[in-house]
Amino acid sequence: MADGKAFSVKRFAVRFLAAFALLLAVFYAAGPLFARLLLPVMEAEMRLLRPAYRIDLTLAGRDRIEYGIDVPFPWTNPSGKRLDGVTKEGRLPASNVSIHPILVLSVLFAWPAASWRKTGALIVLSLPALFLVELLDLPFHILWKAESGIPLETFSAGMIRFWGHVLNNGGKQFLSLMAVFFSLGAFMLLERRKRTAAPGARVGRNDPCPCGSGKKFKNCCKE
């Protein structure tokens, strides 16, 4: 809901699909650059979480991320062979780093913020949340895959196993949803503060609340 107008599901759906198609095209073209910028940050995060590991993340071509991780953990594998460590290698679609911005920005572009200026402010507010969810996704997913099958019995290994299973069972969509909620919450809070602080902006008790909630002012921001 925005500026007292009823929320239109149909209009939101049309705008969402249009934004989604546009962002797919944008990230198809700019996705490799986006991944190239994010991968060093993700690699640094993984090294912070696992300082004893040798970790290497690279963008191979346009469409895949390759990783190599040396886990220096002495153990005996199921066949009885004694190992001083293990090297895990793999690849993931490079589109993994574009999932969150495409979903989140599509929702925010479609949100009835009433003006392009407000929509722009909403997008800017979403950037810290988007950066955070990127760091909570792919680095943990790769570490989870690298440590799978290795009997690491530490608290941090248990947390990575738990979060890896969450990500693999709807957690990625959950992170995108949380980024949307954070962005909308921060936007509505700022709009409420601006309207209540604006000189001469008097709103009647029974008028629609200027925050766009659809409630009467006396039952919303006036409380």
Side-chain angles (χ1 to χ4, degrees):
M1 188 159 303
D3 294 347
K5 295 181 180 179
F7 183 92
S8 170
V9 175
K10 182 178 179 180
R11 184 183 180 192
F12 175 81
V14 170
R15 293 179 63 173
F16 174 82
L17 291 175
F20 187 80
L22 176 62
L23 287 166
L24 276 179
V26 169
F27 277 93
Y28 178 78
L33 175 61
F34 185 59
R36 205 177 299 277
L37 291 173
L38 271 180
L39 286 183
V41 181
M42 292 180 172
E43 186 176 303
E45 177 194 2
M46 293 168 68
R47 287 177 176 169
L48 184 64
L49 292 168
R50 290 290 186 262
Y53 292 8
R54 183 198 64 80
I55 299 171
D56 183 36
L57 296 182
T58 58
L59 182 66
R62 285 182 52 88
D63 60 351
R64 68 183 185 275
I65 296 169
E66 295 182 348
Y67 63 87
I69 300 179
D70 290 339
V71 183
F73 179 74
W75 64 300
T76 302
N77 67 15
S79 63
K81 183 178 180 181
R82 180 71 177 176
L83 300 172
D84 293 327
V86 62
T87 298
K88 293 289 188 77
E89 296 179 340
R91 60 181 58 181
L92 295 165
S95 58
N96 273 273
V97 299
S98 303
I99 292 173
H100 295 299
I102 289 175
L103 289 176
V104 173
L105 295 180
S106 294
V107 173
L108 299 184
F109 274 123
W111 198 258
S115 71
W116 285 110
R117 182 184 61 82
K118 289 185 178 181
T119 299
L122 184 54
I123 298 303
V124 171
L125 286 172
S126 73
L127 297 181
L130 276 172
F131 183 68
L132 179 61
V133 299
E134 291 284 6
L135 296 185
L136 288 173
D137 186 355
L138 198 60
F140 284 90
H141 179 79
I142 293 175
L143 285 176
W144 170 60
K145 290 176 70 69
E147 294 180 353
S148 62
I150 303 175
L152 296 171
E153 300 298 335
T154 63
F155 176 77
S156 62
M159 290 301 297
I160 286 177
R161 278 197 298 270
F162 167 76
W163 189 239
H165 285 294
V166 170
L167 291 173
N168 210 40
N169 292 278
K172 294 177 182 290
Q173 294 84 351
F174 172 77
L175 284 175
S176 290
L177 192 60
M178 290 300 100
V180 170
F181 285 159
F182 171 84
S183 305
L184 290 174
F187 174 76
M188 294 178 71
L189 180 61
L190 288 176
E191 285 294 298
R192 177 181 296 183
R193 287 183 174 177
K194 284 195 297 185
R195 289 181 181 273
T196 54
R202 300 184 62 84
V203 182
R205 286 169 48 84
N206 293 313
D207 291 338
C209 186
C211 75
S213 67
K215 300 179 181 178
K216 290 184 179 181
F217 181 59
K218 65 181 181 182
N219 296 325
C220 191
C221 294
K222 190 176 187 301
E223 294 181 347

